[in-house]
Amino acid sequence: MRIDLHTHSTASDGTDSPAELTAAAAAAGLDVVAITDHDTTAGWEAAVAALPAGLTLVRGAELSGRWYGTEPTMGLHLLAYLFDPAYEPLVAELARVRLSRERRAEKTVELLNADGIDVTVPEVRGYAAGGTIGRPHLARALVRRRLVGNVDEAFRPEWLGRRYRLPKDDIDVFTAIRLVREAGGVSVLAHPKAEIRGHALPDALIADLAGAGLWGVEADHTDHTEADRARVRALAGDLGLRVTGSSDYHGTNKTVRLGAFTTDPPVYREMADAATGVAPVIGA
Ligand code: AMP
Ligand code: ZN
Ligand code: FE
Ligand code: FE
């Protein structure tokens, strides 16, 4: 069984439509794939409708979270799986974050314009194509002007990594974990020790999150070094958290391939048993 629990479609900043994503997952030899777009469940329906025979779809999302218990506050990503997409308090938080992403994109365009870079909001919105707008869409505008060679380069400090990086209103991570639980889902902390991205989370925070109902942590991820992965595994063992691995596939917005990292079948089965929001869907 090959299980990839973290992928993005055009419902956020991936480049495969939900239908293309499920087809690509089957072609990559996956048995289980999760769709985890940023702050939205908009891709779920199309993914279910297009599900190839024999492929199991786990419906999820990657929530933009923030830890407010430190100065400066720290952004983080929380994978949420198999939750009820109609649970109003969670729906409201996701809508609020998406709106904040819109405002951030507009302000970032203003900042670029002030430096003589003539990107426009409609162009950036066009790249998002109705999905959750994110920095990879701003990156595409910079690539188009040949200011950078590719999306990855656009995340360097002199571009969207720092110079043109603006904050958005994320969800308090403790609130996020509570809402996901109330919606019948389980939450997994995405790439928690990505030292190279400069946002490794302290062990003490992860312990507090475990106490607040966090279900698992992602260890095998392209942003983690071997040492990062070992630390996550050891910590998960200490805290009684499950360990996942996944590609964080974004189509051509990133170089990583579907199934590059995978999750052990017993962990997936435990997840499917634990969640009560929605069930995994098996392609007929
Ligand atoms: P946002 O959530 O809009 O702030 O954008 C963060 C997203 O940008 C992440 O989920 C990744 O998909 C993408 N990203 C971050 N760093 C890089 C990078 N170095 N190269 C390509 N994509 C990146
Ligand atoms: Zn992304
Ligand atoms: Fe992430
Ligand atoms: Fe992701």
Side-chain angles (χ1 to χ4, degrees):
M1 278 248 285
R2 296 189 69 228
I3 302 160
D4 187 341
L5 293 179
H6 183 170
T7 73
H8 297 264
S9 77
T10 50
S12 65
D13 55 7
T15 56
D16 289 359
S17 68
E20 288 165 347
L21 175 67
T22 58
L30 294 178
D31 302 284
V32 180
V33 70
I35 181 169
T36 53
D37 280 303
H38 296 284
D39 305 308
T40 187
T41 60
W44 287 15
E45 206 180 308
V48 170
L51 201 56
L55 179 66
T56 295
L57 179 73
V58 171
R59 289 169 283 180
E62 186 172 21
L63 311 190
S64 299
R66 188 158 287 273
W67 178 38
Y68 289 96
T70 186
E71 192 54 52
T73 62
M74 286 180 87
L76 51 84
H77 285 170
L78 190 72
L79 292 158
Y81 297 105
L82 302 171
F83 58 89
D84 173 3
Y87 181 59
E88 191 48 45
L90 184 55
V91 168
E93 281 293 273
L94 296 182
R96 185 179 62 73
V97 175
R98 290 197 305 271
L99 192 64
S100 160
R101 285 173 162 280
E102 288 283 334
R103 297 289 98 81
R104 179 184 63 161
E106 291 160 9
K107 285 186 197 151
T108 309
V109 166
E110 282 173 24
L111 209 56
L112 288 160
N113 290 167
D115 285 350
I117 298 159
D118 67 339
V119 299
T120 69
V121 172
E123 180 192 355
V124 176
R125 279 225 181 87
Y127 295 130
T132 303
I133 201 160
R135 282 183 290 158
H137 304 121
L138 288 154
R140 293 265 296 273
L142 300 177
V143 172
R144 174 138 178 267
R145 276 159 191 74
R146 300 177 190 269
L147 292 162
V148 292
N150 55 47
V151 169
D152 201 60
E153 278 178 37
F155 280 86
R156 287 185 182 164
E158 58 271 37
W159 295 104
L160 303 172
R162 191 164 61 230
R163 172 80 181 86
Y164 299 100
R165 177 169 196 175
L166 294 171
K168 60 185 181 343
D169 296 326
D170 303 309
I171 313 175
D172 174 272
V173 62
F174 291 94
T175 304
I177 288 173
R178 177 174 57 79
L179 293 178
V180 170
R181 262 168 79 107
E182 288 171 4
V186 300
S187 49
V188 170
L189 200 55
H191 43 73
K193 291 284 182 190
E195 303 275 5
I196 45 164
R197 292 256 189 264
H199 49 226
L201 302 170
D203 289 359
L205 168 67
I206 300 173
D208 285 350
L209 297 177
L214 181 70
W215 189 86
V217 278
E218 193 177 55
D220 293 321
H221 183 279
T222 166
D223 290 353
H224 280 164
T225 62
E226 280 304 326
D228 295 337
R229 290 170 206 188
R231 288 193 63 197
V232 173
R233 279 179 202 286
L235 188 64
D238 292 346
L239 298 172
L241 294 169
R242 295 79 181 168
V243 171
T244 67
S246 41
S247 67
D248 201 358
Y249 175 74
H250 278 71
T252 58
N253 274 346
K254 270 190 184 176
T255 53
V256 71
R257 293 171 172 237
L258 274 167
F261 302 101
T262 56
T263 296
D264 291 340
V267 173
Y268 163 65
R269 281 191 284 269
E270 194 186 337
M271 172 185 285
D273 287 344
T276 58
V278 295
V281 184
I282 304 168

